[in-house]
Amino acid sequence: MSVAVTKSRYQSEEFSARLRRRYAAERRFRIAGMLAVGIASLMLVVLLGSIVSKGYTAFWQAQIRLEVTLDKQQVEERNYTAIVRQALYAQVPAATDRATRRSLNDLLSSGAPYELEAMVNANPSIVGTTQTVWVRADDEIDQFMKGFIRRDVPESERRLSDVKITAIDALVANGSIRSTFNTTLFTAGDSREPEQAGILGAVVGSALTLVVTMLLSVPIGIAAAVYLEEFAPKNRWTDLIEVNINNLAAVPSIIFGLLGLAVFLGFFGLPRSAPLVGGLVMALMTLPVIIIASRVALKAVPPSIREAALGVGASPLQTVTHHVLPLALPGILTGTIIGMARALGETAPLLMIGMVAFIVDIPGGLTDSATAMPVQIYMWADSPERAFTERTSAAILILLAFLILMNGLAVFLRKKFERRW
Amino acid sequence: MQLTVLLIILALLTVIGYQMGRSRAVASVGGRIVELHSVPSYHGFYVALWAGLPALLLFAFWGASEGWLVMQMVLSGLPDRLVNGDAQSLGLLRADILNLAHGVTTGREPDPEVVAAAERYLRLHALGDWSLLVIGCCIAIGGLLYARGRIDPDLRARNRVERTVNIALVICSLVAILTTIGIVLSLLFEAIRFFAVVNPLEFLFGTHWSPQMAMRADQVGSSGSFGAIPLFAGTLLITGIAMAVAVPVGLMAAIFMSEYASPGLRTWLKPILEVLAGIPTVVYGFFAALTMAPFVRDVGNSLGLSVSSESALAAGFVMGVMIIPFVSSLSDDVINAVPQSLRDGSYGLGATKSETIRLVVLPAALPGIVAAIMLAVSRAIGETMIVTMAAGLTANLTANPLDAVTTVTTQIATLLVGDQEFDSPKTLSAFGLGLVLFVVTLTLNMVALRVVQKYREKYD
Amino acid sequence: MSVQTHIPATAMASRPAAGIHGTKMVARDVKVFYGAKQALKGINLEIQENRVMALIGPSGCGKSTFLRCLNRMNDTIENCRVEGLIALDGEDVYGKNIDAVQLRARVGMVFQKPNPFPKSIYDNIAYGPRIHGIASHRDEMDEIVQTSLQRAGLWNEVKDRLREPGTGLSGGQQQRLCIARAIAVSPEVILMDEPCSALDPIATAHIEELIDELRENYTIVIVTHNMQQAARVSQKTAFFHLGDMVECDDTEEIFTNPRDERTQGYITGRYG
Ligand SMILES: Nc1ncnc2c1ncn2[C@@H]1O[C@H](COP(=O)(O)OP(=O)(O)OP(=O)(O)O)[C@@H](O)[C@H]1O
Ligand SMILES: [Mg+2]
């Protein structure tokens, strides 16, 4: 009867069948969500995995042992190349003819004579003696030792000739090749030769840039946030500033580079490639980030604190500096660190202002030519040598380490000072 | 060097000024502080401000105008032969002098006059710095003495200091506006110079892009190779691919995290997305160029397709991955802003979770999600490093994702990196492209931010 | 089968001639925990068919919690745990035979704040029938929408603007829209959690009238803070206090002659 009709609507077989279909759709939707999260995680793993697997070998570097006889006359003529070569020939006695010896020359890094020279300059008393030294091997030998140049490939397709491989085998046999921690990577500036290239110049360049960025954007950003949050009247003018800041935060970074190029280099005539200009551009870029973060932190301070301070006769400025700012400081700090981390990873604007030059020297001041970490990565990524690919990945790992450190600090500060009102 | 010294001296003088002001204020009332209009520390700040501020303003003014001033003086001393050219050769000359002065060697053998000018430039510079040091110190000490002399029990030190601070705060909040104005002016100024040589219509609607050709000819721009359509098309293609990856994945990830994942799982998933968001774009670029592009090419080739080694697909896909966390965190905000009462209403009618999400939450969040996508598109359009490293330089007008295309940002970057010729249409065209980029992204951002704001107001 | 034929049929079937009302839902020793916090301490209650039961009690005593147990809305709260037995027509609603989705179709809910979906008025009403596949073609759906709106007393006000958003209605209209939305899936029980607390007296009167009419066809449980309202619309009243059900009786009985002094105190306004 009709009672049965009503009862059966949601208890009927038809409804159960439909319900099963609905739950199947539910499962599919859920799986789609899991898939999305899975894809994101997978991409992170693939990205980091590919960089680690490409880069970890760069932290080691092949060295060749030489018994150098520091002949007095050769030292005086500063003919270290000859000294080094003679020592190398001695290590491979089988190589007697000129052609073989010439190809042996390429086994050593072109920086090996300079290494030796530096050693002699540091300790002149060793002149005239025979010393055992380990000098850097050429990057291709290094790659061969790491297994990236395969010996089972036909010679014509290989970057290393059979003669060299024979010589390397001889060196390996008498224990004259070793792999050590690649200190050069951390202590040298850029170089055309991978085995002599390091990131110190870029790290210093980044540090100088960030110092300028911080000195400008932090005080200005906090001041602007304090004004907008605490003092500014609510009118169209401040609305405009607010809209403007939010939009500025979303302007592509390369546009800031164009601004820097046109205004700081073109109009003010500041030097190209200088950390000063890089810092200025980055400061303008991070300013909105810091203002927005600081305003959020200031907003989180409850009005009761302001009322209490004003109530005991503090001026508005005193209220802010003595009571509100200290409470908002952890939040501001967190936002600032995150802004700085972003500036540290930013590349495009620095390309525009010429911090992309090949610079061997470690920059010593704000107006010296310099590059920065991400730009160094960009430049190395362009180099064809396998050894540079490896170093690019290593530089990325170091940059990521810095970023993780900074973000970790921000998380730590947030956790430590987190306060709920 | 001198500037550092000046800054240190100024810092010292302000500290001294503060101490002086304080102690003099206390002394002026014989220690009975209540008789002072303002507390002693305000008198201290008053003197410190007088000591530091005027000199600092001079310093800032000098820093901003020194380069220009000195250059004018140097140029005016040069023979007419060098100076009497058009704007372009003058720009070159300026660049040469600067390069020589800063020790940057260029390929050309420098003109002896130019070398002399560079030396004069350096000399004047040093002279300027020294005089700045002396004048700056004088002004600082003068200000300090003046303010110290004005200390008096009735001095409204507090009001004066607070007014100065207030003005400073206002100025700081104007920096953002000034930045925007700076961007607009510099882009407009350079772009107008570009459009004086190249017809804007041709630029916007031409289909042939080959800026290198203009370099060769003396009558710059006559070759008519600044049609930017292939660039816009390439940008759209890569952006489209990126969105095809980022929007579904980002949105579904946000839904999964906010509606399905347990709190325990969420604490694991959130950092994954945050790390993805924190990776610098140059790293994505490296990944795209060295891992993704070869992978796509190999897969394509094994399927019998001809894939460029700089395919739009590889760059677009990696850009999409980069934007996933951006989309997901924005959508997460938006989805969480949908009130629980709507979900309850749907559950109360017997809807399943996915029905509730698809039929109630997402439609309710739609304006916010659209805005999020617009912001993501703007981000993708403006992204530079991935495309510069992984997309090509050849301006193909194609819709095939397996071909190489070039983008607006790639062109800006390559046009302006390395040795530039000042004022050549090739260099200036970068600013034309920059202007287009700025206008497009700004429009997207403005609209999106307005939509988001409206949306927030609706559910607040 | 058409909507119009069966809804009156339900009403007829569930209203025995003798005027004795069958038991629609039963709660036996229902305990609810939010994490470690116990919100209900063992509720026993019977809800009779085609009558209105009012739940009253001071704020935080667990009225909403209890109401949400009846159609398992508490399932959507992460740390909520329910113990004890709740039966609908003699079947355990937490048991195997009843699915939460199915249960909520049979036991509908109207909330304190009107919560129309940001869709058109029509789509708001059609939402439930659509997901449950009740209407097989347009005409049928149109009919469901019309009857539901008519039953909720909203038809005349909105019949010309069915395509306009439901959020554009006034508060009272929105609440009636939500009631119509709940009716559209033709549930057997309707739960109402303070349905009038966001409304002005006129809109409230409207809804109260509506509840009285709906009683013919549905079993209704209503939570209210308004004593007069409870007295006006309900036949049975249960008084909750600190997670306990103190007293449940005919409404007249409770308001004129409460047995427990806590009930007395509450309805006379001594606390709450
Ligand atoms: N989601 C939740 N998580 C934890 N505790 C909750 C939750 N919801 C309710 N409670 C707690 O359970 C108790 C009962 O809450 P409930 O909402 O049922 O009260 P109520 O009688 O409906 O009150 P009111 O009249 O104010 O609506 C309260 O102490 C409340 O704090
Ligand atoms: Mg309640």
Side-chain angles (χ1 to χ4, degrees):
Chain A
M1 226 195 67
S2 45
V3 182
V5 174
T6 344
K7 287 249 153 169
S8 66
R9 161 156 304 154
Y10 294 118
Q11 289 162 313
S12 65
E13 194 42 49
E14 197 190 331
F15 185 79
S16 323
R18 190 183 165 84
L19 200 57
R20 275 195 297 280
R21 284 199 305 280
R22 286 168 67 190
Y23 274 121
E26 169 77 26
R27 264 194 308 281
R28 284 196 299 277
F29 191 74
R30 193 191 164 93
I31 288 172
M34 272 153 57
L35 222 58
V37 175
I39 289 174
S41 315
L42 181 73
M43 286 321 296
L44 181 65
V45 170
V46 169
L47 177 70
L48 293 182
S50 86
I51 287 168
V52 170
S53 68
K54 279 203 182 90
Y56 76 98
T57 47
F59 294 102
W60 282 269
Q61 161 72 36
Q63 288 185 328
I64 297 179
R65 186 184 57 173
L66 298 177
E67 307 287 338
V68 286
T69 310
L70 291 159
D71 180 74
K72 196 159 179 163
Q73 189 190 345
Q74 277 177 326
V75 169
E76 266 161 20
E77 289 167 9
R78 300 188 52 218
N79 195 354
Y80 291 97
T81 312
I83 303 179
V84 168
R85 284 184 181 169
Q86 279 155 11
L88 181 64
Y89 301 154
Q91 292 282 18
V92 193
T96 46
D97 60 302
R98 283 184 84 97
T100 318
R101 286 196 158 178
R102 194 169 315 129
S103 70
L104 281 188
N105 293 344
D106 296 344
L107 293 188
L108 292 177
S109 162
S110 63
Y114 301 107
E115 276 185 76
L116 195 62
E117 184 171 358
M119 205 173 110
V120 171
N121 288 345
N123 185 8
S125 65
I126 58 174
V127 175
T129 64
T130 298
Q131 297 280 327
T132 304
V133 295
W134 288 92
V135 295
R136 285 185 293 250
D138 184 68
D139 61 303
E140 273 165 17
I141 289 33
D142 181 52
Q143 295 300 300
F144 177 75
M145 295 303 294
K146 287 170 182 168
F148 297 125
I149 297 179
R150 309 253 311 264
R151 70 168 76 219
D152 51 8
V153 189
E155 187 178 10
S156 55
E157 292 167 24
R158 203 194 303 129
R159 292 182 63 96
L160 219 50
S161 64
D162 285 342
V163 180
K164 284 188 195 167
I165 291 184
T166 317
I168 294 171
D169 287 341
L171 287 171
V172 171
N174 62 23
S176 300
I177 290 194
R178 72 173 183 190
S179 172
T180 57
F181 186 70
N182 185 0
T183 48
T184 313
L185 185 63
F186 296 92
T187 55
D190 199 3
S191 169
R192 297 276 185 225
E193 301 297 327
E195 76 277 1
Q196 296 170 41
I199 55 158
L200 185 61
V203 169
V204 172
S206 271
L208 291 172
T209 307
L210 273 195
V211 166
V212 175
T213 305
M214 204 157 73
L215 287 182
L216 287 172
S217 65
V218 173
I220 296 180
I222 295 178
V226 164
Y227 177 72
L228 291 174
E229 202 56 47
E230 306 286 334
F231 298 116
K234 258 273 157 228
N235 57 25
R236 291 176 57 183
W237 182 233
T238 44
D239 275 355
L240 177 73
I241 297 184
E242 185 155 356
V243 169
N244 179 60
I245 288 171
N246 288 334
N247 277 308
L248 213 52
V251 167
S253 59
I254 194 169
I255 300 281
F256 284 94
L258 290 176
L259 169 76
L261 177 59
V263 173
F264 296 133
L265 299 190
F267 188 73
F268 289 128
L270 294 174
R272 265 177 86 79
S273 312
L276 175 65
V277 182
L280 280 167
V281 172
M282 293 289 192
L284 294 183
M285 218 182 69
T286 45
L287 197 58
V289 178
I290 293 181
I291 295 179
I292 292 171
S294 304
R295 291 189 65 175
V296 170
L298 288 169
K299 247 195 206 104
V301 177
S304 59
I305 302 235
R306 295 180 184 85
E307 284 151 18
L310 290 172
V312 297
S315 70
L317 187 66
Q318 284 170 320
T319 306
V320 170
T321 50
H322 295 173
H323 302 279
V324 179
L325 258 187
L327 289 174
L329 209 55
I332 295 177
L333 218 57
T334 309
T336 302
I337 295 173
I338 288 171
M340 289 300 126
R342 206 186 288 174
L344 176 59
E346 194 56 68
T347 323
L350 300 183
L351 302 186
M352 301 291 97
I353 55 154
M355 285 184 81
V356 65
F358 172 71
I359 292 150
V360 177
D361 297 328
I362 314 292
L366 292 179
T367 49
D368 289 359
S369 287
T371 68
M373 275 296 277
V375 184
Q376 188 72 74
I377 290 167
Y378 167 69
M379 288 193 290
W380 280 358
D382 243 7
S383 311
E385 289 95 340
R386 173 65 182 73
F388 265 129
T389 306
E390 181 183 283
R391 280 167 175 75
T392 313
S393 305
I396 288 176
L397 291 177
I398 295 164
L399 177 63
L400 289 181
F402 276 119
L403 290 177
I404 289 171
L405 220 66
M406 289 171 82
N407 283 299
L409 184 65
V411 171
F412 171 77
L413 282 175
R414 185 169 14 179
K415 284 259 154 64
K416 184 159 162 116
F417 293 103
E418 193 166 54
R419 202 189 295 230
R420 297 215 170 267
W421 306 98
Chain B
M1 180 52 215
Q2 292 88 339
L3 306 187
T4 323
V5 172
L6 177 59
L7 283 181
I8 293 172
I9 293 179
L10 281 187
L12 279 176
L13 281 176
T14 42
V15 173
I16 295 171
Y18 177 80
Q19 293 297 350
M20 269 187 175
R22 255 188 82 102
S23 50
R24 192 172 165 98
V26 174
S28 72
V29 287
R32 295 179 302 279
I33 290 171
V34 281
E35 289 175 19
L36 284 172
H37 171 271
S38 310
V39 289
S41 64
Y42 270 108
H43 288 89
F45 283 126
Y46 177 74
V47 179
L49 278 175
W50 265 106
L53 210 52
L56 209 62
L57 287 178
L58 173 79
F59 179 80
F61 174 76
W62 181 246
S65 58
E66 178 190 32
W68 184 80
L69 262 176
V70 170
M71 185 54 87
Q72 287 307 318
M73 287 163 77
V74 170
L75 288 179
S76 68
L78 279 177
D80 287 352
R81 172 175 64 86
L82 287 168
V83 188
N84 261 0
D86 50 12
Q88 188 180 344
S89 58
L90 206 61
L92 268 177
L93 179 64
R94 240 186 239 135
D96 278 349
I97 295 176
L98 280 179
N99 277 342
L100 277 171
H102 292 124
V104 183
T105 45
T106 48
R108 285 178 304 252
E109 184 61 37
D111 189 316
E113 293 276 6
V114 178
V115 176
E119 277 163 12
R120 200 156 54 245
Y121 176 86
L122 282 180
R123 232 181 12 255
L124 285 174
H125 231 297
L127 186 68
D129 285 351
W130 276 112
S131 41
L132 176 66
L133 177 60
V134 175
I135 298 172
C137 287
C138 291
I139 290 184
I141 294 172
L144 189 147
L145 293 178
Y146 168 76
R148 185 173 171 275
R150 295 203 42 179
I151 297 257
D152 179 274
D154 290 331
L155 177 70
R156 298 174 156 269
R158 166 165 152 172
N159 308 36
R160 276 155 204 263
V161 169
E162 293 204 339
R163 200 164 59 231
T164 314
V165 172
N166 232 317
I167 291 172
L169 291 181
V170 173
I171 291 174
C172 285
S173 72
L174 289 182
V175 171
I177 296 256
L178 288 180
T179 308
T180 308
I181 294 175
I183 289 175
V184 171
L185 285 187
S186 56
L187 289 179
L188 266 183
F189 186 65
E190 306 281 325
I192 285 171
R193 291 209 288 161
F194 172 63
F195 290 130
V197 213
V198 176
N199 184 343
L201 290 179
E202 188 194 313
F203 172 71
L204 287 176
F205 301 109
T207 54
H208 185 64
W209 177 266
S210 164
Q212 306 304 333
M213 304 208 11
M215 242 169 103
R216 226 182 33 199
D218 281 330
Q219 322 92 304
V220 279
S222 61
S223 49
S225 50
F226 288 101
I229 286 287
L231 274 51
F232 301 152
T235 307
L236 280 187
L237 178 62
I238 288 187
T239 304
I241 296 169
M243 288 300 122
V245 174
V247 170
V249 175
L251 191 55
M252 282 312 289
I255 289 171
F256 183 77
M257 300 232 301
S258 61
E259 308 274 338
Y260 284 101
S262 66
L265 190 56
R266 222 172 293 154
T267 52
W268 275 99
L269 293 178
K270 255 187 117 93
I272 288 184
L273 288 177
E274 277 167 10
V275 170
L276 221 43
I279 291 177
T281 52
V282 68
V283 178
Y284 281 107
F286 177 73
F287 177 70
L290 268 89
T291 307
M292 209 60 202
F295 175 74
V296 169
R297 191 195 51 216
D298 292 349
V299 169
N301 287 347
S302 70
L303 294 174
L305 298 166
S306 91
V307 184
S308 158
S309 56
E310 295 175 323
S311 62
L313 186 59
F317 180 84
V318 173
M319 191 188 278
V321 172
M322 181 200 90
I323 292 178
I324 288 172
F326 190 69
V327 172
S328 86
S329 84
L330 286 175
S331 325
D332 195 51
D333 287 352
V334 169
I335 288 171
N336 283 328
V338 173
Q340 182 63 28
S341 67
L342 286 186
R343 293 184 177 82
D344 282 347
S346 172
Y347 290 135
L349 290 167
T352 63
K353 205 163 199 173
S354 65
E355 285 161 352
T356 303
I357 295 167
R358 281 186 294 115
L359 303 175
V360 174
V361 176
L362 287 186
L366 197 63
I369 289 173
V370 169
I373 293 174
M374 286 170 75
L375 286 174
V377 168
S378 143
R379 182 93 185 258
I381 292 177
E383 167 50 36
T384 310
M385 292 321 292
I386 295 178
V387 284
T388 303
M389 294 170 83
L393 283 178
T394 37
N396 291 328
L397 186 52
T398 173
N400 180 357
L402 303 179
D403 276 350
V405 294
T406 191
T407 71
V408 173
T409 48
T410 311
Q411 288 301 320
I412 297 177
T414 38
L415 288 170
L416 292 181
V417 165
D419 288 333
Q420 306 159 14
E421 301 175 46
F422 279 75
D423 301 333
S424 83
K426 179 187 166 220
T427 312
L428 289 177
S429 69
F431 287 89
L433 291 174
L435 184 63
V436 173
L437 178 65
F438 181 68
V439 168
V440 170
T441 52
L442 188 73
T443 312
L444 280 170
N445 297 338
M446 295 250 267
V447 174
L449 289 173
R450 267 211 83 77
V451 171
V452 166
Q453 200 189 2
K454 279 255 161 74
Y455 173 78
R456 288 253 163 78
E457 281 164 7
K458 187 166 127 200
Y459 288 128
D460 264 352
Chain C
M1 89 190 164
S2 96
V3 187
Q4 278 163 321
T5 53
H6 80 262
I7 289 178
T10 323
M12 272 162 56
S14 54
R15 179 172 280 191
I20 300 160
H21 296 274
T23 302
K24 188 69 184 172
M25 295 193 82
V26 179
R28 288 273 169 270
D29 199 24
V30 173
K31 294 175 181 150
V32 178
F33 303 84
Y34 290 112
K37 182 172 181 293
Q38 185 166 10
L40 291 181
K41 300 173 183 163
I43 305 293
N44 290 293
L45 205 64
E46 285 183 9
I47 297 162
Q48 289 172 331
E49 211 161 13
N50 293 86
R51 307 194 83 181
V52 177
M53 165 166 281
L55 307 182
I56 59 170
S59 196
C61 63
K63 305 178 296 290
S64 301
T65 302
F66 179 71
L67 204 67
R68 292 168 66 93
C69 288
L70 296 180
N71 71 344
R72 291 180 57 180
M73 279 299 281
N74 281 332
D75 289 13
T76 61
I77 296 172
E78 236 151 49
N79 60 352
C80 181
R81 187 159 53 84
V82 180
E83 285 175 12
L85 176 92
I86 296 170
L88 172 66
D89 286 340
E91 237 176 332
D92 182 5
V93 302
Y94 284 90
K96 265 212 255 357
N97 285 334
I98 296 191
D99 175 84
V101 165
Q102 183 196 16
L103 173 71
R104 288 179 202 147
R106 296 173 65 189
V107 183
M109 191 155 194
V110 176
F111 299 84
Q112 176 170 2
K113 243 179 72 192
N115 56 352
F117 302 137
K119 302 168 180 285
S120 71
I121 293 171
Y122 185 97
D123 287 338
N124 260 285
I125 309 293
Y127 181 80
R130 268 191 198 132
I131 55 174
H132 294 305
I134 290 177
S136 51
H137 46 80
R138 264 202 86 81
D139 296 347
E140 224 172 312
M141 185 63 84
D142 290 348
E143 211 172 312
I144 293 177
V145 170
Q146 182 172 354
T147 33
S148 308
L149 284 170
Q150 278 166 343
R151 284 171 168 276
L154 195 60
W155 176 249
N156 288 331
E157 290 159 67
V158 301
K159 63 174 180 244
D160 301 323
R161 42 197 277 215
L162 290 177
R163 293 290 157 196
E164 283 169 34
T167 42
L169 297 173
S170 77
Q173 287 173 326
Q174 285 188 10
Q175 193 63 302
R176 277 180 284 152
L177 179 68
C178 292
I179 293 173
R181 189 174 69 185
I183 295 171
V185 296
S186 40
E188 297 154 42
V189 182
I190 301 178
L191 311 175
M192 300 185 172
D193 194 350
E194 302 180 40
C196 302
S197 67
L199 307 182
D200 69 50
I202 294 174
T204 302
H206 233 103
I207 304 260
E208 284 178 10
E209 238 167 77
L210 177 60
I211 292 171
D212 207 47
E213 284 164 24
L214 290 174
R215 176 161 65 91
E216 245 178 72
N217 303 321
Y218 307 93
T219 304
I220 294 173
V221 185
I222 177 172
V223 171
T224 177
H225 278 285
N226 182 331
M227 295 307 118
Q228 287 80 30
Q229 184 171 64
R232 281 193 298 264
V233 301
S234 70
Q235 287 78 51
K236 284 268 188 185
T237 297
F239 174 67
F240 279 60
H241 184 77
L242 294 179
D244 277 317
M245 204 280 292
V246 174
E247 189 170 350
C248 175
D249 210 333
D250 285 343
T251 300
E252 255 189 62
E253 213 32 46
I254 290 264
F255 280 101
T256 53
N257 192 12
R259 264 170 288 144
D260 196 289
E261 64 182 52
R262 286 171 292 179
T263 317
Q264 167 119 39
Y266 183 70
I267 59 178
T268 53
R270 248 184 287 142
Y271 58 77

